[in-house]
């Protein structure tokens, strides 16, 4: 039996008589809807949404002048109606509080871009990007159509001081950026230089205020002198922050500072403070990076790298790593492993196995050469932080990315993610690497509502049984969907020969 839920515009029925809600359908067999419409937000497209993604109790403001007809085929076709993002003032919540780290563009300031995407693909999103301590910058208001993200370029007068200009003991800066929205969103940042002589880029996924913490460890790479910086941002007033930096085996440096709400603190790092501790009595966002770095130290030109750090509570014990782009173009990568307690770490690749013991706040690193075409598996007795540093080559520049633990997969169902366009001298290539649990299949992975036959399956993950798939994507905003009863991790790597970036997707 068919129930009346939708009456297509072609039927002559009074609109006002049937306006209602977009609540769950009563037929339990209806689990997916195909929706085709012209969005007033500016896009005409076809969306596929599950029943549990339809906002319960939504009014006719969500789907304007639309009638409903439940069908036995479980397909809802909206042929001619317009979906609206009504221009109404909405209550917004602060979701991201961060600072951008500097990039050395020599004679001009870098271009800074922020991508914001909806976590729910069935709701229009309203919000703003604000600069709480920069009175000369107006808020950037945004609204996101269903299932789509947007990239915003920050004003040219948003300027981050270069690391060389910072005090040895750090500076409280006015560089905080806030993203607030009425629905949950994801946010990524890109910092780039584009000129005939300086071509650099770094990018990272930012952490929602609910995912940040109070206990961090610094993860970085051996640096050129005074080119590294750590950025700390307070969410609340009177946040007490303490940085413990081990200068040598016998000398340590302690920096204590109180930050008020939305204040940023930038500290230049003189040496390789791997394992340095950052703790606070209230939640903070912590970023770390290098304005200029060579990876390995004796190769190529220096480029920026940056990452928004995970708190210790987000670490795990099991990891899988691989070349994030075509190994035939790679010069390999360095793995750095850090622990907060005494622990035994084992790693395996291509049948070989090694083991090392780490002391509290001690790190270990190893180089994976380009000709090692098998994944690396890492196991530890206690939680560890694992980071992959991409080496300079003739086809890529350095980048860094924290590797998500297999214990805490970051993606289930659908999620939007960006691919920042960095094409300059040559066409950039964008690689997507997916880490999926045993039993997964590449046919379960949908990109922009379609399967792909371009996935390459990477062999060699033995002990965990996790699978690795890799493909290339285009620049722009994308939707990654898992049509299976499991969660995955994914990492994006962008490569334009003279500049590269990478980040995990969540």
């Amino acid at each position: 039996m068919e129930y009346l839920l939708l009456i297509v515009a072609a039927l002559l029925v009074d609109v006002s008589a049937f306006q209602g809600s977009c609540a769950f359908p009563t037929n339990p067999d209806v689990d997916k809807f195909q929706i085709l419409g012209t969005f007033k937000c500016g896009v005409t497209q076809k969306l596929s949404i599950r029943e549990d993604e339809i906002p319960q109790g939504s009014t006719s403001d969500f789907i304007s002048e639309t009638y409903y007809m439940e069908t036995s085929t479980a397909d809802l076709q909206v042929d001619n109606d317009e979906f609206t993002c009504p221009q109404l003032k909405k209550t917004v919540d602060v979701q991201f509080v961060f600072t951008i780290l500097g990039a050395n563009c020599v004679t001009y300031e870098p271009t800074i871009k922020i991508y914001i995407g909806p976590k729910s693909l069935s709701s229009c999103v309203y919000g703003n990007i604000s600069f709480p301590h920069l009175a000369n910058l107006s808020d950037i208001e945004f609204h996101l159509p269903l299932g789509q993200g947007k990239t915003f370029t920050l004003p040219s007068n948003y300027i981050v001081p270069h690391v060389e200009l910072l005090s040895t003991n750090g500076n409280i800066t006015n560089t905080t950026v806030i993203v607030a929205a009425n629905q949950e969103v994801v946010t990524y940042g890109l910092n780039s230089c584009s000129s005939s002589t300086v071509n650099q880029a770094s990018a990272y996924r930012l952490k929602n205020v609910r995912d940040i913490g109070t206990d961090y460890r610094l993860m970085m790479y051996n640096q050129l002198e005074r080119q590294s910086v750590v950025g700390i941002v307070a969410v609340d007033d009177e946040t007490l922050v303490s940085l413990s930096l081990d200068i040598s085996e016998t000398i340590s440096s302690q920096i204590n500072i109180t930050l008020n709400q939305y204040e940023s603190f930038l500290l230049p790092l003189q040496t390789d403070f791997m394992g340095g501790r950052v703790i606070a009595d209230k939640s903070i966002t912590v970023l770390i990076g290098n304005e200029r770095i060579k990876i390995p130290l004796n190769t190529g030109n220096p480029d920026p790298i940056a990452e928004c750090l995970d708190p210790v509570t987000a670490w795990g014990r099991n990891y899988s790593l691989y070349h994030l782009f075509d190994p035939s173009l790679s010069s390999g990568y360095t793995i750095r492993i850090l622990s907060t307690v005494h622990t035994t770490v084992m790693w395996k690749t291509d049948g070989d196995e090694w083991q090392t013991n780490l002391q509290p706040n001690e790190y270990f690193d190893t180089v994976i050469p380009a000709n090692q075409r098998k994944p690396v598996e890492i196991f530890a007795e206690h939680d560890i932080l694992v980071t992959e540093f991409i080496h300079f080559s003739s086809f890529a520049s350095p980048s860094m990315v924290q590797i998500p633990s297999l214990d805490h997969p970051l993606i289930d169902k659908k999620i939007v993610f960006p691919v920042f366009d960095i094409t300059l001298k040559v066409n950039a290539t964008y690689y997507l690497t997916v880490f999926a649990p045993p039993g997964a299949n590449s046919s379960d992975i949908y990109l922009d509502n379609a399967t792909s036959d371009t996935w390459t399956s990477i062999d060699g993950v033995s002990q965990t049984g996790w699978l690795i798939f890799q493909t290339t994507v285009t620049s722009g905003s994308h939707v990654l969907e898992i049509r299976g009863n499991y969660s995955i991790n994914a990492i994006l790597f962008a490569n334009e020969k003279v500049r590269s970036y990478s980040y995990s997707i969540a």
Side-chain angles (χ1 to χ4, degrees):
M1 177 180 179
E2 296 184 355
Y3 299 88
L4 188 63
L5 267 176
L6 171 67
I7 299 178
V8 182
L11 299 180
L12 301 177
V13 181
D14 182 8
V15 171
S16 62
F18 289 92
Q19 284 188 351
S21 68
C22 190
F24 293 128
T26 57
N27 182 350
D29 295 329
V30 177
D31 61 359
K32 187 175 293 183
F33 297 87
Q34 298 293 331
I35 297 181
L36 179 66
T38 301
F39 293 72
K40 286 184 178 177
C41 307
V43 178
T44 300
Q45 66 174 34
K46 186 174 182 179
L47 293 178
S48 175
I49 60 175
R50 291 183 297 274
E51 174 184 340
D52 61 356
E53 293 179 318
I54 298 177
Q56 195 167 13
S58 294
T59 67
S60 56
D61 286 337
F62 179 72
I63 301 178
S64 177
E65 299 182 355
T66 302
Y67 301 96
Y68 305 91
M69 178 174 60
E70 188 176 286
T71 72
S72 58
T73 62
D75 285 333
L76 182 64
Q77 296 292 337
V78 183
D79 294 323
N80 299 308
D81 296 277
E82 288 187 335
F83 287 64
T84 63
C85 289
Q87 300 297 317
L88 302 175
K89 290 293 184 182
K90 300 283 185 176
T91 301
V92 297
D93 298 316
V94 171
Q95 297 188 36
F96 295 85
V97 178
F98 58 95
T99 181
I100 299 296
L101 301 183
N104 192 336
C105 297
V106 185
T107 59
Y108 63 97
E109 295 302 321
T111 299
I112 300 170
K113 296 184 178 182
I114 301 296
Y115 171 92
I116 302 172
K119 187 165 185 182
S120 169
L121 304 189
S122 60
S123 299
C124 295
V125 177
Y126 303 84
N128 60 71
I129 304 169
S130 61
F131 312 89
H133 300 296
L134 291 172
N136 60 327
L137 293 184
S138 301
D139 292 358
I140 302 173
E141 295 190 357
F142 62 82
H143 61 274
L144 307 177
L146 297 181
Q148 296 183 62
K150 288 185 178 180
T151 298
F152 304 87
T153 301
L154 297 193
S156 59
N157 51 345
Y158 173 86
I159 298 175
V160 179
H162 293 298
V163 64
E164 296 94 338
L165 302 178
L166 296 172
S167 165
T168 302
N169 293 320
N171 298 80
I172 294 178
T173 66
N174 57 3
T175 55
T176 299
V177 181
I178 294 175
V179 174
N182 70 313
Q183 303 278 348
E184 192 169 354
V185 296
V186 296
T187 303
Y188 297 74
L190 171 73
N191 204 356
S192 64
C193 308
S194 304
S195 75
S196 59
T197 56
V198 181
N199 305 293
Q200 303 175 349
S202 62
Y204 36 83
R205 174 175 57 86
L206 292 152
K207 306 297 188 292
N208 191 295
V209 292
R210 70 149 196 272
D211 297 323
I212 60 178
T214 59
D215 191 359
Y216 294 83
R217 297 297 183 277
L218 300 183
M219 170 64 80
M220 58 199 311
Y221 193 83
N222 296 317
Q223 62 182 57
L224 302 174
E225 184 177 356
R226 198 177 165 81
Q227 288 296 327
S228 295
V229 64
V230 58
I232 301 169
V233 188
V235 178
D236 299 301
D237 277 330
E238 296 183 350
T239 299
L240 304 179
V241 181
S242 177
L243 294 90
S244 301
L245 307 174
D246 294 327
I247 298 175
S248 68
E249 293 183 359
T250 58
I251 303 175
S252 64
S253 175
Q254 186 83 18
I255 297 176
N256 299 307
I257 189 170
T258 299
L259 297 177
N260 287 319
Q261 188 177 45
Y262 306 146
E263 282 187 333
S264 295
F265 176 70
L266 297 181
L267 175 68
L269 301 176
Q270 302 293 330
T271 58
D272 192 351
F273 288 120
M274 271 289 299
R277 187 178 186 187
V278 181
I279 58 173
D281 65 342
K282 300 172 186 176
S283 292
I284 54 175
T285 301
V286 179
L287 298 98
I288 194 164
N290 301 67
E291 282 198 9
R292 301 169 71 241
I293 186 66
K294 295 182 178 183
I295 304 178
L297 286 178
N298 59 349
T299 59
N301 296 316
D303 280 317
I305 59 174
E307 182 63 285
C308 186
L309 291 177
D310 287 326
V312 170
T313 52
W315 297 5
R317 301 184 184 185
N318 300 284
Y319 294 82
S320 183
L321 299 88
Y322 187 65
H323 298 277
L324 295 180
F325 68 113
D326 187 345
S328 66
L329 306 178
S330 170
S331 290
Y333 57 94
T334 293
I335 303 171
R336 282 204 161 182
I337 303 168
L338 178 65
S339 175
T340 64
V341 298
H342 177 83
T343 190
T344 299
V345 179
M346 181 178 68
W347 69 101
K348 300 173 61 176
T349 182
D350 197 18
D352 294 324
E353 183 176 312
W354 300 267
Q355 181 174 301
T356 190
N357 294 317
L358 291 178
Q359 300 300 319
N361 301 321
E362 184 181 27
Y363 75 91
F364 165 83
D365 64 10
T366 185
V367 174
I368 306 301
N371 60 4
Q372 175 52 270
R373 304 297 176 87
K374 299 294 184 181
V376 177
E377 298 176 276
I378 298 175
F379 318 94
E381 291 179 314
H382 301 282
D383 289 350
I384 55 176
L385 175 62
V386 177
T387 301
E388 182 172 334
F389 295 89
I390 308 301
H391 291 181
F392 172 86
S393 73
S394 299
F395 299 93
S397 293
S399 71
M400 71 176 288
V401 60
Q402 290 174 118
I403 303 300
S405 169
L406 303 183
D407 305 320
H408 314 295
L410 299 178
I411 303 170
D412 62 358
K413 297 183 179 178
K414 288 183 179 180
I415 194 166
V416 297
F417 69 95
V419 179
F420 292 110
D421 187 358
I422 57 169
T423 292
L424 186 64
K425 293 185 175 181
V426 298
N427 289 331
T429 307
Y430 308 98
Y431 294 84
L432 180 64
T433 305
V434 169
F435 301 82
N441 194 294
S442 61
S443 62
D444 298 334
I445 306 171
Y446 281 65
L447 275 171
D448 303 319
N449 205 35
T451 57
S452 173
D453 58 3
T454 63
W455 289 104
T456 298
S457 179
I458 310 300
D459 298 326
V461 183
S462 56
Q463 184 160 327
T464 64
W466 276 62
L467 308 171
I468 302 177
F469 305 107
Q470 196 169 72
T471 190
T472 56
V473 293
T474 58
S475 61
S477 182
H478 295 277
V479 177
L480 178 63
E481 179 183 5
I482 307 305
R483 297 188 181 180
N485 189 26
Y486 54 84
S487 300
I488 66 169
N489 288 324
I491 297 175
L492 182 85
F493 177 77
N495 165 34
E496 196 261 348
K497 190 173 182 178
V498 295
R499 51 186 182 164
S500 303
Y501 66 79
S502 57
Y503 43 71
S504 62
I505 296 169

